[in-house]
Amino acid sequence: MQEETEFEQFEENDPRINYKVRAKKTLEEYKQLDAEDESLAKWKESLGLSSDVLPLEFPGDTRKVVIKAIQLLVDTDAEPITFDLSTEESIKELASKRYKIREKSVYKLKITFKVQHEIITGLRYVQYIKKAGIAVDKIDDHLGSYAPNTAKKPVYEVELPESEAPSGFLARGNYNAVSKFIDDDQANHLTLNWSVEIVKK
C-alpha cells in the first residue's frame, strides 16, 4: 500500500487549504441564536438541530464524524461490496484487501456516517488514486453540512456520483486509493487505504 504522503502532490495549490473558518458555536448556542428570527429558525430546522440528539457512539468518544460503512455499488454485481469500518482493526485490515471490478463497470460509493458533538460544515470526500506508483486521479466530492444525529435521523447516507471503470490492456491492474473525510476546518475525520483490481470484462 502506498504511503499517504505520496498523494500530497494533489493538494498543491488547493485554495481551501488556507481557507479560514469562523469560530464554531456550540449546539446550545445555535439553539438560542436569534430565537425570534423565523428564517433562522427554519435554517436551524433544516440542519436538524434538535433536543433529541443521539448519545455518543461509545462513552468518551471524541470523534465528530463517525464513518460507519462504505459500500461500493457496482452495476455488474448483485451484492454491494461493503467496507467494514466498525473497528480500528477492520479499518487497518481494509488496506490489505483488494476488490475486483470488471472494466467498464459503472460504480459509485455509498457512505453511511454519524455526526456527534457539534455541527460539521462543508464535509468533503477526497480520494487520491495511484496505479503502479503514478498518480492517476483525484476525486473531491462535497457531502454537505450536518448537525448531530437524532433518534429521528440516526445516520446520514450519501451516494457519490457514478463513475466508469477504465478499460483496455493498459488500464487493467491494481489501483491504490487513499480516502479522506475533510471539513471546512481542514479537520481530517478519517483516512482509509484500500485497493481495487480492474479485471477483464
Side-chain angles (χ1 to χ4, degrees), residues 35-75:
E36 303 303 320
D37 187 325
E38 184 177 348
S39 62
L40 186 56
K42 289 181 179 179
W43 173 74
K44 291 191 291 184
E45 184 180 347
S46 72
L47 284 178
L49 289 175
S50 168
S51 59
D52 193 20
V53 175
L54 289 178
L56 300 179
E57 194 72 3
F58 56 80
D61 187 0
T62 60
R63 294 175 297 171
K64 297 173 183 175
V65 178
V66 180
I67 311 301
K68 299 179 74 67
I70 296 179
Q71 288 185 312
L72 183 58
L73 309 175
V74 186
D75 63 355

Side-chain angles (χ1 to χ4, degrees), residues 181-196:
F181 294 85
I182 303 171
D183 66 20
D184 273 346
D185 291 326
Q186 297 305 316
N188 180 19
H189 297 282
L190 180 66
T191 297
L192 297 174
N193 294 276
W194 54 287
S195 304
V196 297

Side-chain angles (χ1 to χ4, degrees), residues 27-166:
L27 287 179
E28 191 59 35
E29 286 174 328
Y30 271 117
K31 290 176 184 177
Q32 301 301 324
L33 186 62
D34 297 333
E36 303 303 320
D37 187 325
E38 184 177 348
S39 62
L40 186 56
K42 289 181 179 179
W43 173 74
K44 291 191 291 184
E45 184 180 347
S46 72
L47 284 178
L49 289 175
S50 168
S51 59
D52 193 20
V53 175
L54 289 178
L56 300 179
E57 194 72 3
F58 56 80
D61 187 0
T62 60
R63 294 175 297 171
K64 297 173 183 175
V65 178
V66 180
I67 311 301
K68 299 179 74 67
I70 296 179
Q71 288 185 312
L72 183 58
L73 309 175
V74 186
D75 63 355
T76 55
D77 295 325
E79 293 294 327
I81 298 169
T82 300
F83 297 174
D84 179 11
L85 307 177
S86 59
T87 65
E88 291 286 342
E89 291 73 20
S90 63
I91 291 174
K92 290 179 181 178
E93 288 174 2
L94 181 63
S96 63
K97 297 179 179 179
R98 181 170 289 120
Y99 300 94
K100 292 185 178 182
I101 300 177
R102 293 186 179 89
E103 60 183 346
K104 299 196 76 173
S105 296
V106 176
Y107 66 92
K108 60 183 175 181
L109 292 177
K110 180 179 179 181
I111 303 166
T112 303
F113 62 98
K114 174 185 176 182
V115 173
Q116 52 189 22
H117 292 294
E118 65 181 44
I119 293 173
I120 296 297
T121 58
L123 187 63
R124 294 156 43 219
Y125 174 81
V126 183
Q127 178 178 289
Y128 311 97
I129 304 169
K130 276 193 171 189
K131 184 178 190 292
I134 300 173
V136 295
D137 198 9
K138 176 185 176 182
I139 296 171
D140 191 338
D141 284 318
H142 182 70
L143 303 183
S145 299
Y146 301 90
N149 288 93
T150 65
K152 291 182 179 179
K153 187 70 175 177
V155 295
Y156 295 111
E157 292 184 338
V158 178
E159 290 188 5
L160 300 186
E162 291 183 340
S163 298
E164 183 176 280

